[in-house]
Amino acid sequence: MKSWSTPAPPTVPSRPDRLRLHDTATGRTRHPGNDAQRASLYVCGITPYDATHLGHASTYVAFDLLHRYWRAAGLEVAYVQNVTDVDDPLLERAEATGVDWRALAEEQTDLFRADMAALEVLAPDHYVGATEAVGLVVDAVETMLAAGRAYRVPGGDGEPDGDVYFDVRAAQSATDWRLGQVSAMGPDEMAAVFPERGGDPDRPGKRDPLDPLLWRVHREGEPAWDGRSLGSGRPGWHIECSVISRAHLPAPFTVQGGGSDLRFPHHEFSAAHATAVDGLPLAHTYAHTGMVALDGEKMSKSLGNLELVSRLRARGVEPVAVRAAILAHHYRSDWEWSEQVLTDAQARVARWRAALDGPHAAAGVAVLDAVHAALSDDLDAPRALEALDAWAAGTLPGLAEAAADPVPVVDVVAALLGLRLR
Ligand code: ZN
């Protein structure tokens, strides 16, 4: 699937990789596990409808900071993102609004790409739709069935024969993966969120209520692909990200990213499926972004309380201000979008721009050191923006020394924070 294009970040003096990143699986903040030359990143993409709300945008901007940090440290970065372009919620929305699901997915993916480009989110190297990965899914599910780590559920009660489920218990006894090891959730929490996030604990014939779907055999009126020995049908959700990441990234890759609502079941089972196929962990580190609320409620498609990047752009809001508003919040915190947040960000951008005409416009080294130190500490963007405020106010330490070694601040800010002020 075609990606989007973003201008290459300006070249600035490189700084060493001192990153410490919070890992959900271990609960520790530590180096994410890349080597000195390269790093790899997989961020779960959107299901293409209601694109691109501020919750989405804040997730992709957060992982863009990571991407930029690594590049600024001279690392080669391999970045993959998917699009869940066939899934129950997409089909339900298409049905409810009377449009073809393919047309909806295409239109919304286009909108997403335009929003990402406007927000200066560096494009992934591979942008892959679930519908493009069906052959890989079939390979993986066949392997798991042959190894006894998946099973077919018999039909009945209007359901056809042959849906394939992942066998959580069998996978735990045969591999190093343990239920809850990625999400760091206990049994009660997992049981509570599973049905809210696409799980079907009550499906008759399952061996364990938490066993997730791998392959859904064809139903009348639903899209279907050739599943070879599985029969015609379509992929479950988690397996899509397992196979797409394995196809394009090392095993394990450095960071698996996504919103905190993906901890369980999505990231737990994407990891479990990958390990069930080849015995290796999915990733070194699992990083999750906080949820963005609007008017006190989590911004979500099901609640319908969304602020869209495209709507802000249509209103004439500059994308750089939207990005600055997002970066004013730590990526792991839950926060609330409001007009005030936007107004504050616009005022800040104006102050930074004014300072580009001031006496410290070439004090890029001082800004770079301060921003790099903030980002090294679990991508602390709010602290990085405070350093920019201090630079604009002329109070950032090191401004005088930096004048002797001129580096444009405008380039540093564009390279590390993706804020294009000019
Ligand atoms: Zn995913």
Side-chain angles (χ1 to χ4, degrees):
M1 182 169 285
K2 90 176 153 54
S3 186
W4 58 93
S5 55
T6 23
T11 304
V12 296
S14 83
R15 286 293 178 268
D17 171 17
R18 296 225 171 90
L19 182 65
R20 289 162 47 80
L21 189 70
H22 184 81
D23 172 41
T24 301
T26 56
R28 289 167 48 213
T29 302
R30 51 151 172 76
H31 189 265
N34 53 286
D35 65 30
Q37 277 80 41
R38 41 191 83 69
S40 40
L41 172 65
Y42 185 93
V43 181
C44 287
I46 58 163
T47 297
Y49 63 92
D50 292 340
T52 308
H53 63 68
L54 261 301
H56 290 142
S58 110
T59 291
Y60 301 111
V61 166
F63 291 104
D64 187 55
L65 279 186
L66 174 61
H67 190 175
R68 287 169 181 277
Y69 181 94
W70 278 335
R71 286 175 65 149
L75 298 175
E76 215 173 278
V77 182
Y79 177 22
V80 178
Q81 189 181 132
N82 68 306
V83 191
T84 304
D85 59 354
V86 62
D87 194 16
D88 291 340
L90 174 70
L91 298 174
E92 283 158 18
R93 175 61 70 92
E95 171 91 27
T97 51
V99 297
D100 182 85
W101 65 274
R102 280 159 293 222
L104 176 62
E106 214 166 288
E107 176 223 313
Q108 291 287 308
T109 305
D110 269 345
L111 192 56
F112 177 75
R113 284 187 276 246
D115 289 334
M116 289 299 103
L119 290 173
E120 299 270 349
V121 172
L122 298 176
D125 304 296
H126 299 278
Y127 189 50
V128 186
T131 57
E132 297 173 312
V134 176
L136 296 172
V137 168
V138 174
D139 292 343
V141 176
E142 285 181 337
T143 301
M144 285 189 265
L145 274 169
R149 295 164 197 175
Y151 58 96
R152 289 187 174 86
V153 167
D157 283 338
E159 304 285 4
D161 260 337
D163 287 343
V164 182
Y165 280 80
F166 183 67
D167 191 327
V168 165
R169 272 176 243 170
Q172 289 193 103
S173 62
T175 72
D176 291 336
W177 169 78
R178 294 291 172 272
L179 183 65
Q181 93 178 18
V182 167
S183 57
M185 285 186 187
D188 293 346
E189 198 179 353
M190 287 189 280
V193 298
F194 188 65
E196 293 165 8
R197 298 176 187 165
D200 53 355
D202 302 325
R203 169 74 193 267
K206 278 171 54 166
R207 294 177 184 168
D208 186 284
L210 293 184
D211 288 350
L213 178 71
L214 287 168
W215 184 257
R216 175 175 167 90
V217 295
H218 184 229
R219 269 81 163 165
E220 195 53 44
E222 291 187 10
W225 287 261
D226 176 13
R228 302 196 297 265
S229 70
L230 309 178
S232 150
R234 61 181 166 98
W237 177 26
H238 322 304
I239 187 65
E240 142 195 1
C241 291
S242 300
V243 302
I244 293 171
S245 59
R246 276 294 193 255
H248 299 287
L249 295 173
F253 56 90
T254 313
V255 171
Q256 158 82 88
S260 60
D261 54 349
L262 297 185
R263 281 169 59 187
F264 188 86
H266 186 56
H267 286 171
E268 186 74 52
F269 289 133
S270 296
H273 298 342
T275 305
V277 170
D278 63 19
L280 297 168
L282 184 71
H284 288 290
T285 294
Y286 296 86
H288 292 103
T289 55
M291 295 287 114
V292 181
L294 181 69
D295 305 324
E297 296 253 36
K298 175 193 149 185
M299 213 177 280
S300 86
K301 303 183 220 200
S302 48
L303 293 171
N305 58 331
L306 302 170
E307 181 57 274
L308 302 179
V309 174
S310 54
R311 198 182 294 150
L312 293 168
R313 288 166 58 214
R315 249 174 65 187
V317 174
E318 275 191 284
V320 67
V322 177
R323 186 162 171 125
I326 291 169
L327 294 179
H329 302 84
H330 191 269
Y331 81 92
R332 286 207 287 132
S333 61
D334 295 331
W335 56 283
E336 192 166 335
W337 177 265
S338 66
E339 282 300 306
Q340 190 59 49
V341 165
L342 178 60
T343 309
D344 291 348
Q346 287 167 321
R348 251 175 151 177
V349 167
R351 283 200 302 275
W352 299 333
R353 279 183 172 147
L356 289 177
D357 296 322
H360 305 301
V365 169
V367 174
L368 178 60
D369 286 340
V371 168
H372 180 262
L375 296 181
S376 296
D377 183 11
D378 199 21
L379 302 174
D380 192 344
R383 207 170 103 206
L385 298 199
E386 281 159 22
L388 270 187
D389 292 339
W391 160 76
T395 58
L396 184 70
L399 287 181
E401 297 87 321
D405 179 18
V407 170
V409 171
V410 70
D411 287 354
V412 169
V413 174
L416 270 92
L417 296 170
L419 294 167
R420 207 165 279 274
L421 298 176
R422 286 246 161 97

